[in-house]
Amino acid sequence: MKYQPLNNELFILNRKNFSNRLKPCSIAIFHSNDEFPRNGDQNFIFKQNPDFFYLSGIDQEQSILLIFPDCPNPLYKEVLFLRQTSEHIAIWEGHKYTKEEARAASGIDSICWLSEYETILHTIINYAENVYINTNENDRYSHTVPYRDIRMLETLRVKYPLHNYERSALILRDLRVVKSDVEIEATKKACEITRDGFIRVLKFVKPGVAEYEIEAEITHEFLRQRATGHAYSPILASGKNANCLHYNDNNQVCHDGDVILFDFAAEYANYNADMSRTIPVNGRYTKRQRDVYNAVLRVMRQATQMLVAGTIWNEYHDEVGKIMTGELIGLGLLNKHDVDKQDPKMPLYKKYFMHGTSHHLGLDVHDFASRYKPFEVGNILTCEPGIYIPEEGFAVRIENDILITKNGNVDLMADIPVEADHIEEIMNS
Ligand code: GLY
Ligand code: MN
Ligand code: MN
């Protein structure tokens, strides 16, 4: 890992909170993610399962975590199984956790090698009534590729058919969404690295640079600051490309007079930032670009004020929709008379602003959370309004990451330039 290890108190606390929510006499089993084949004999770079990381701090493939608070053998109340490293693995693949290192990273005392898993599980599972399995219940996820936890569930059901199987995700959905201090610090670090990447490209962009050259600058800044890399495929969309929401070809040249929509951010210690900015290629917004930009910024500012404990998703989105509608009328994109007659189920603003304003942020960029629970202290949400105008060949999105606190909220990207004047000033300095 490139990042500095996180304080293991995070993982100790997470396991404690998780254990407290289990039914009596329950064992929970968590698997690390699969390694995904790329081609030939190559794998994609390993990415840890977010729940596995949340509960263990272990960032390594082929690992298993057992949590069994009522286990009659105290040795196995928490056990971590790891790939046994060897001289051969060290030479060919590099460093893997030793037992001492895994103990330090996770705060778990009982560290065993993977070869012992079946035997140890068998000696304790029959003392449990419930077996908690972790499936991916992110409601944006569509299940097409079986993953370790789900494959192991099939095996367990055959071997232990009379246990009661339960869902860990129901517990994790409530826990993961409330961030602790260590998580907030990791997210702030990801935001800081993202800021530096942005300021670097503000000084780099000029007419004639290609989107991929900007991407290279950002990647350089991220890696030199120990980010794992990009939090998601970066979007560097100049001119009309910005009207494709998930554009990430990043292969066009940026032209004088256009604006570029950036949506990029760093991942640090598995925690993600998520930022969007829209800047003028030649360092000066046109009057129209600036008007649209300021309209989006006003919506972002007003929406941010609603990101406080107790806010309800649907009401928030409806409210932002009304603010956005007013701005679109002001820009001449919507007509007040048409708006007055609109079908409330299909509001007209969606023609120019077709995505949600916010999502939770954390170990996943679109973090695991309930859509129906009011916002809580400790949530980190994005705020990302945009206006997309294909007929004018450009789009503007601005996105900051907001932490909800007991006194309101804190903008974790408050120090990233966002005012049009400030952006122009840096670009022309
Ligand atoms: N970068 C992904 C998003 O803004 O949701
Ligand atoms: Mn986002
Ligand atoms: Mn984004």
Side-chain angles (χ1 to χ4, degrees), residues 177 210 257:
V177 75

PDB file of all heavy atoms in Angstrom, residues 177 210 257:
ATOM      1  N   VAL A 177     -22.361   4.422   7.191  1.00  0.00           N
ATOM      2  CA  VAL A 177     -22.769   5.758   6.744  1.00  0.00           C
ATOM      3  C   VAL A 177     -22.378   6.841   7.764  1.00  0.00           C
ATOM      4  O   VAL A 177     -22.279   8.025   7.423  1.00  0.00           O
ATOM      5  CB  VAL A 177     -24.287   5.746   6.447  1.00  0.00           C
ATOM      6  CG1 VAL A 177     -25.101   5.734   7.732  1.00  0.00           C
ATOM      7  CG2 VAL A 177     -24.704   6.840   5.530  1.00  0.00           C
ATOM      8  N   ALA A 210      -4.407  18.410 -24.602  1.00  0.00           N
ATOM      9  CA  ALA A 210      -5.381  17.327 -24.765  1.00  0.00           C
ATOM     10  C   ALA A 210      -5.894  16.898 -23.394  1.00  0.00           C
ATOM     11  O   ALA A 210      -5.201  17.040 -22.379  1.00  0.00           O
ATOM     12  CB  ALA A 210      -4.720  16.136 -25.465  1.00  0.00           C
ATOM     13  N   GLY A 257     -11.956  29.044 -26.019  1.00  0.00           N
ATOM     14  CA  GLY A 257     -13.379  29.434 -25.974  1.00  0.00           C
ATOM     15  C   GLY A 257     -14.280  28.396 -25.315  1.00  0.00           C
ATOM     16  O   GLY A 257     -15.407  28.714 -24.929  1.00  0.00           O
TER      17      GLY A 257
END
